[in-house]
Amino acid sequence: MSQSTGVKHSIWAYFPLTWHMVKTHFQSEMEYRASFLSKIFGIIVNDVGWLLIWVVFFQRFPAVNGWSIEDSLTLFSLNMFTFSVFAVVGYGLIDLARHVANGGLDYFLALPKNVLWQVATSRSSTESIGDFLFGLVIFFFTQADALIKLPLFLLVAVLGGMIIFNFIVVVFSFALFFGNYQETGDRWFWTLFNFSLYPQNFFAGWLKIVSFVVVPVFFVTALPVRMMQDFQWTDLALMAGFWLVSMLFAVWFFNRGLKRYESGNMINIRV
Amino acid sequence: MFNKASKYWAMFQIGQRNASVYFMDWWSVGLLVAIRVAVLTQLYAATFTSVGLQVVDGFTLSMVIWSVMVANALQLSSGTRQMILELQNEIKSGNVAHTLSKPYSLVTYFILQYFGRFQTKALAAVSLGAVAAAFFAGVPQITVLGIICGIILSSFGFLINAAISMGIGLTAFWVEDISGFRWIYDKFQWVLSGMVIPLAFLPDGLRLLIEYSPFGQLFYSAGRILVDFEAQTFWQYLGTQVFWLLVLLYVVTVIYRKGIKNVSVNGG
């Protein structure tokens, strides 16, 4: 087998492995069924609360810069779905800074698969399946020709989820340079999450640059909303291009930081 | 009595000193508050323009921005997620058995230590947030009494938040992974504590329901009283906060007492 075939094989091997990890997390969570279902219920109640707040907002202010409640509903369904894709598959990344601070990364370094992948899939926010379902329900209730638009919705949501993944890798990799970074990383994640729920057409000036690069809310939800309303191949190419560039940067940044990582010499038994 | 007070005062000071060590963390909180203020200023400037009004429900643009700035700064300084995580680790790792043998209450220790951290961080976050809010939206009319009452309400708001966080953290006695509850509570804070939309903009029924719930009293009331001080509103908020604090502390105490019965200590 040639080397390139070997590389291809190893990359493709991560897909079934990721599926297996997610499935295992769900099976484990289902051991505590009442707790699991109560979390999903809590998520859905919260989502309804968010939706209600924005409905009330748009009743008070019917159009902000031409942005209406219909635009926000599209945004809302995409936001819920996109973030749940990330949270179900890669939620372990949220612990990256903690692993760095307490030497817990040693465990992942000793495993045979890619370190970043190991960390990312070590935990799943299984309750985010509530957001996943809620996003889909809102999508079907608010979009004309929902079935025709569904493939595009899924494509941009998955791409958006992968961009969030890259953003989180970069943000939490700062822990490899600064040490104590868990709380700060958390805050950046929530800033991205919540900014992506705001009407997206009022960003102007330097804030537009921030929304493109620093907190990439433009690529996570603004651009996908635009594509859902008026699809252009150039927009899709732009989004895919940003995903690729952000992924290359995230992997480079993480690996650079990893060289500075100092082992905690911690002996741990994980059961 | 004096020994007891000095013991708890020391816990509070530990928190303050811990928070003051990490300057990067201060700047990070300040930067995030500034970014949020900038985003919200653009949103509300566009919103006020869209309805062609200078004042909406008694709020000018600068009042709205200062109100949400305070809510965001307090939330970012509250350490909610860390508190829940630390408590969960304490319970799951079994350290709690060791802590129980010490001459202090675990619940009080956590709350006071995080209160110390909160005070230090909130001072930095609100100061930097105020500079950003003044720069982007101007300064509303603020009175000394409004500032003092705002500080009082923010302290009680923190204590309510700490009590809810403790309640969530203590469920680790029974639930394997409580990060889901933490995630849900985080989102509730965003929706219901005036971090995006001042509660004054909501219809009366909904506003009253949220304003006098524990969530409405976490971070919103301090900012609201700062930008629009009314003695009667202040006393109403304070009374509501004290009521919820007592209720929540009672619930936390019950959960804690039930939880520690699950701890089994093996000698050796």
Side-chain angles (χ1 to χ4, degrees):
Chain A
M1 190 168 62
S2 70
Q3 197 182 3
S4 64
T5 316
V7 171
K8 273 182 196 168
H9 176 77
S10 63
I11 290 172
W12 289 114
Y14 281 97
F15 288 97
L17 269 177
T18 305
W19 168 249
H20 186 73
M21 290 294 281
V22 171
K23 200 170 75 177
T24 309
H25 287 306
F26 271 95
Q27 284 169 340
S28 154
E29 194 67 35
M30 287 299 275
E31 284 292 309
Y32 305 91
R33 197 157 298 188
S35 155
F36 179 53
L37 293 176
S38 67
K39 285 180 203 170
I40 291 180
F41 179 72
I43 287 273
I44 291 176
V45 168
N46 184 276
D47 289 346
V48 171
W50 255 124
L51 195 61
L52 193 66
I53 290 280
W54 282 112
V55 168
V56 167
F57 180 87
F58 280 103
Q59 274 179 347
R60 190 82 185 74
F61 311 104
V64 180
N65 265 7
W67 185 275
S68 65
I69 182 71
E70 287 76 22
D71 300 317
S72 262
L73 287 171
T74 306
L75 177 76
F76 202 83
S77 60
L78 268 166
N79 172 288
M80 292 299 138
F81 196 87
T82 303
F83 273 84
S84 68
V85 167
F86 162 75
V88 168
V89 178
Y91 196 62
L93 279 179
I94 298 286
D95 295 330
L96 178 60
R98 190 161 54 85
H99 292 316
V100 171
N102 65 18
L105 210 55
D106 294 9
Y107 168 78
F108 298 100
L109 286 167
L111 295 173
K113 292 292 173 194
N114 180 279
V115 182
L116 208 47
W117 178 86
Q118 295 278 5
V119 174
T121 55
S122 64
R123 197 146 70 90
S124 168
S125 171
T126 48
E127 59 280 350
S128 290
I129 202 74
D131 283 335
F132 185 92
L133 296 172
F134 195 78
L136 267 184
V137 169
I138 297 290
F139 169 76
F140 275 108
F141 272 92
T142 57
Q143 297 291 321
D145 305 325
L147 270 178
I148 297 168
K149 285 183 178 172
L150 186 63
L152 179 64
F153 178 83
L154 296 176
L155 176 66
V156 293
V158 170
L159 257 181
M162 293 196 295
I163 292 172
I164 296 170
F165 187 97
N166 299 339
F167 172 74
I168 300 299
V169 170
V170 174
V171 164
F172 281 88
S173 292
F174 274 104
L176 293 157
F177 298 89
F178 297 131
N180 190 359
Y181 204 73
Q182 180 65 37
E183 226 173 323
T184 308
D186 273 348
R187 293 182 194 124
W188 280 100
F189 170 71
W190 283 100
T191 299
L192 173 70
F193 177 80
N194 289 290
F195 280 5
S196 61
L197 280 169
Y198 295 172
Q200 297 292 318
N201 63 341
F202 66 87
F203 289 105
W206 66 273
L207 209 55
K208 205 164 186 82
I209 298 167
V210 169
S211 77
F212 270 66
V213 189
V214 183
V215 186
V217 63
F218 174 79
F219 293 100
V220 172
T221 44
L223 196 58
V225 168
R226 196 163 85 186
M227 277 192 267
M228 293 304 299
Q229 292 166 338
D230 179 20
F231 178 74
Q232 301 285 337
W233 283 103
T234 46
D235 283 346
L236 186 61
L238 189 63
M239 193 176 176
F242 183 80
W243 162 72
L244 187 65
V245 170
S246 61
M247 183 193 70
L248 292 174
F249 178 73
V251 170
W252 171 80
F253 192 62
F254 173 76
N255 285 331
R256 195 175 164 81
L258 197 58
K259 286 181 185 158
R260 298 167 57 101
Y261 175 68
E262 290 172 11
S263 163
N265 286 327
M266 197 167 66
I267 298 170
N268 248 334
I269 298 171
R270 290 167 71 105
V271 288
Chain B
M1 180 70 187
F2 178 75
N3 276 347
K4 213 171 184 177
S6 65
K7 182 167 65 185
Y8 288 119
W9 173 245
M11 291 173 187
F12 173 75
Q13 283 184 312
I14 289 170
Q16 275 190 324
R17 285 179 193 157
N18 268 339
S20 60
V21 170
Y22 299 110
F23 282 101
M24 267 302 293
D25 202 39
W26 284 33
W27 285 110
S28 157
V29 173
L31 179 65
L32 270 176
V33 175
I35 290 179
R36 288 185 187 181
V37 164
V39 169
L40 290 165
T41 305
Q42 291 204 351
L43 169 65
Y44 280 103
T47 304
F48 274 57
T49 307
S50 73
V51 288
L53 294 172
Q54 298 283 324
V55 180
V56 177
D57 292 330
F59 274 65
T60 61
L61 178 64
S62 62
M63 287 166 79
V64 171
I65 298 307
W66 278 72
S67 156
V68 291
M69 178 276 289
V70 170
N72 277 279
L74 296 181
Q75 192 261 355
L76 283 168
S77 314
S78 65
T80 307
R81 290 185 278 275
Q82 294 309 307
M83 200 186 317
I84 295 173
L85 192 68
E86 202 179 323
L87 190 55
Q88 176 186 255
N89 289 343
E90 185 86 5
I91 293 168
K92 279 176 73 177
S93 67
N95 268 352
V96 67
H98 173 64
T99 313
L100 285 173
S101 66
K102 292 184 177 171
Y104 58 75
S105 151
L106 177 75
V107 173
T108 317
Y109 169 75
F110 261 86
I111 291 180
L112 284 178
Q113 216 214 90
Y114 272 89
F115 193 32
R117 288 191 204 187
F118 167 74
Q119 287 223 323
T120 309
K121 280 187 190 173
L123 183 68
V126 174
S127 304
L128 290 166
V131 172
F135 178 75
F136 291 116
V139 183
Q141 199 178 358
I142 293 173
T143 62
V144 177
L145 208 54
I147 294 173
I148 294 168
C149 293
I151 291 170
I152 295 170
L153 293 179
S154 68
S155 300
F156 275 94
F158 168 82
L159 292 173
I160 292 173
N161 179 54
I164 296 173
S165 305
M166 293 296 293
I168 295 170
L170 288 170
T171 57
F173 277 119
W174 298 276
V175 180
E176 179 68 13
D177 181 10
I178 60 168
S179 59
F181 296 126
R182 192 176 68 144
W183 168 272
I184 294 165
Y185 180 51
D186 263 322
K187 292 176 81 182
F188 267 105
Q189 285 184 343
W190 276 89
V191 177
L192 302 174
S193 63
M195 290 171 62
V196 180
I197 301 172
L199 302 183
F201 286 178
L202 303 179
D204 278 348
L206 189 62
R207 178 181 63 78
L208 286 172
L209 189 70
I210 299 175
E211 207 166 303
Y212 291 98
S213 73
F215 299 110
Q217 291 300 325
L218 293 174
F219 313 119
Y220 171 71
S221 49
R224 164 76 170 76
I225 220 71
L226 178 75
V227 299
D228 185 21
F229 178 76
E230 284 170 13
Q232 194 191 354
T233 312
F234 168 70
W235 289 113
Q236 281 172 353
Y237 283 164
L238 189 62
T240 311
Q241 286 188 329
V242 172
F243 168 77
W244 281 118
L245 186 59
L246 291 175
V247 170
L248 289 164
L249 285 178
Y250 174 74
V251 172
V252 167
T253 309
V254 170
I255 297 174
Y256 179 64
R257 284 189 183 151
K258 279 187 186 291
I260 56 174
K261 284 181 187 164
N262 289 355
V263 178
S264 53
V265 180
N266 298 308

